[in-house]
Amino acid sequence: LTFAILQEGMSLATHYTAALVGWSSTNRLRADLALHILRLDMPFHKSRTPGELIDRADGDVSQLSNFLSMFTVNVIGNGLLVAGILLLLFRENAWLGLGMLVYTLLTLLVLHFIQKLAVPRWAAERQSSAMLYGYIEERISGAEEIRAAGAESYVMRKLYEYMRDFTRKTRLAVVFSSLTYNLTNLVYVLGYAAGLAVGVILYMRGEASLGTAYLITYYVGMLSDPLQSIRGQAEDLQQASANIQRINELFNLQPRVGNPLLENASHRKTLPDGPLPVSFRDVS
């Protein structure tokens, strides 16, 4: 009971700290991104709606909360658990440990492969979401003009086009992301069957007791939990990577009109003291 209470207390403290770190970091990132957008000049703002920029400055950043707070903790914790299980399996039987090591590496390889496929799809989904909410925000703010021009049907038709595009890209991203669960689950079933078969073979040959065979099967099954947790973090990483790419795209944008105050000191000019003279020539 004491250990159970301590475990719940540690879990509560972990989630509290994670929420504090996640929101503090994302709020700072939100502020930096909003300030950078405000410093961009009019050609940028003319080509993008306020709703799109709000979605990019808030929506993209909000989805980084778990990545910035719990991702590293979960991956390291589950990685240590996987390493401990593999060491115990190697202690029982070297070939079994080697086989489970190959199974673990294969699972991580599958996650990396799907990561490369899913990130572009999630980036497209986020862009489509920003365009949709940008369109809605602009049309709601211009509701009086739309009604006066009798353009409700046109606005609704364009809205259906944005929603159709958003649905397609979201569905495609979710399908590619679901491959993470399906393929890792397939690899787990194959690995569990292999571990069960090895335990039975060793028992039939008299090289392992019934308890040892059960131990092998049990620990092979235990590999599923940390690997599935890492799989869940990989799905978060897919969306986080897409959002980080989009955030970096905004940070890499620079105003087209140069600011003398931000250029090299050699190009700066100091204004003289006192008022400056102003003259008008050829003015009619």
Side-chain angles (χ1 to χ4, degrees), residues 227-282:
L227 289 178
Q228 289 298 329
S229 180
I230 292 175
R231 187 265 309 164
Q233 294 299 313
E235 292 181 358
D236 289 340
L237 180 61
Q238 293 168 8
Q239 300 187 39
S241 299
N243 292 324
I244 289 173
Q245 287 181 5
R246 288 166 51 78
I247 291 170
N248 283 334
E249 288 176 3
L250 285 179
F251 275 125
N252 291 331
L253 292 175
Q254 297 298 326
R256 296 182 182 180
V257 179
N259 187 346
L261 298 178
L262 299 178
E263 295 176 357
N264 296 331
S266 60
H267 295 111
R268 294 181 182 177
K269 294 183 179 180
T270 303
L271 294 175
D273 296 331
L276 300 177
V278 179
S279 61
F280 296 91
R281 296 176 184 150
D282 300 326

Side-chain angles (χ1 to χ4, degrees), residues 77-131:
N78 288 291
L80 291 174
L81 180 57
V82 169
I85 293 173
L86 290 175
L87 286 174
L88 284 172
L89 291 175
F90 266 109
R91 189 189 68 176
E92 295 299 326
N93 186 278
W95 288 107
L96 177 64
L98 182 61
M100 291 301 102
L101 177 62
V102 171
Y103 153 68
T104 303
L105 294 177
L106 182 60
T107 302
L108 298 178
L109 184 63
V110 168
L111 292 176
H112 177 70
F113 174 73
I114 299 175
Q115 178 83 7
K116 296 171 64 175
L117 295 176
V119 168
R121 274 76 184 182
W122 280 115
E125 185 269 346
R126 291 301 309 151
Q127 177 61 26
S128 181
S129 172
M131 297 297 292

Side-chain angles (χ1 to χ4, degrees), residues 159-227:
L159 177 63
Y160 292 144
E161 292 177 3
Y162 278 108
M163 289 194 298
R164 186 183 306 114
D165 180 72
F166 178 58
T167 300
R168 290 174 178 172
K169 290 181 178 177
T170 302
R171 182 172 56 202
L172 186 62
V174 170
V175 167
F176 272 88
S177 184
S178 67
L179 290 175
T180 305
Y181 172 78
N182 294 327
L183 291 181
T184 54
N185 197 46
L186 174 63
V187 174
Y188 161 70
V189 170
L190 296 176
Y192 188 81
L196 183 61
V198 170
V200 171
I201 292 173
L202 292 176
Y203 174 73
M204 295 296 291
R205 290 181 176 179
E207 299 178 11
S209 64
L210 185 60
T212 302
Y214 172 77
L215 179 73
I216 292 172
T217 306
Y218 182 77
Y219 275 114
V220 170
M222 277 187 63
L223 273 176
S224 171
D225 292 336
L227 289 178

